[in-house]
Amino acid sequence: MEQLKEAELGDLASQLDQEVRQGRAVSEEKLKQEQASQYAARASRLAERKLPRLEESDVAVIPYTDDENIELIRGALLTLAETMYASRKAALDVAVAHGMELTIDFGDPELETPSSIELDEETGRARVTLELVRELLSEGIDARAEAIR
């Protein structure tokens, strides 16, 4: 998470951190199958407080495993890169199809010096970034799979 914050992705880091802290929702039936000790502990706490027993349709919140945490981060980074490219590509396609200027200016020229981007260059950089993210994240998966073997 710290690396995401350092890479100016603080909002993404905060969202992922919140998701990880909240845990994942599972049915009590799945909890009983996957996490028998947690299920038994929950059932005993309910019994101590004289609350009704857990039903199969009830939902429990359990922490993510380390692998699930990594997969959450991997998925979020991949989605971010895909969205960055897709949004720029769509804007470029619309601009080209309608014969529009490929330079986008930001700001009011009367109040400030506007900043600008070249849509075709920005789309190219986003495509390269997406390819790099895909490559880096797939390498991480391959390395983890080999470590498990």
Side-chain angles (χ1 to χ4, degrees), residues 5-132:
K5 290 176 187 171
E6 290 171 10
E8 296 182 16
L9 296 171
D11 290 342
L12 178 62
S14 296
Q15 289 174 1
L16 288 169
D17 189 46
Q18 181 179 356
E19 174 71 23
V20 168
R21 275 188 276 117
Q22 287 176 348
R24 65 182 171 107
V26 295
S27 69
E28 286 295 335
E29 184 61 28
K30 190 169 184 177
L31 181 65
K32 190 186 304 184
Q33 293 169 357
E34 291 180 5
Q35 308 276 332
S37 64
Q38 285 188 21
Y39 178 82
R42 286 172 59 91
S44 100
R45 285 193 306 268
L46 289 172
E48 287 171 8
R49 291 176 178 82
K50 297 183 175 142
L51 295 170
R53 70 179 196 81
L54 300 171
E55 299 294 329
E56 286 186 15
S57 61
D58 288 339
V59 175
V61 176
I62 61 173
Y64 287 104
T65 64
D66 289 342
D67 286 342
E68 289 169 335
N69 284 340
I70 291 170
E71 184 55 33
L72 252 173
I73 294 168
R74 192 191 75 75
L77 291 173
L78 185 57
T79 299
L80 177 63
E82 289 170 343
T83 303
M84 284 174 50
Y85 172 68
S87 62
R88 284 158 178 78
K89 177 79 168 91
L92 178 63
D93 290 347
V94 168
V96 169
H98 291 87
M100 299 167 66
E101 184 69 34
L102 298 183
T103 301
I104 299 174
D105 295 317
F106 298 94
D108 185 347
E110 294 178 11
L111 301 174
E112 61 190 353
T113 304
S115 60
S116 63
I117 62 167
E118 296 294 327
L119 198 49
D120 52 348
E121 292 174 13
E122 186 67 23
T123 302
R125 278 194 294 275
R127 182 185 48 76
V128 169
T129 300
L130 173 57
E131 290 170 1
L132 179 61

Side-chain angles (χ1 to χ4, degrees), residues 132-144:
L132 179 61
V133 167
R134 282 181 175 158
E135 182 181 322
L136 291 171
L137 294 179
S138 68
E139 284 178 7
I141 290 172
D142 294 342
R144 277 200 327 259

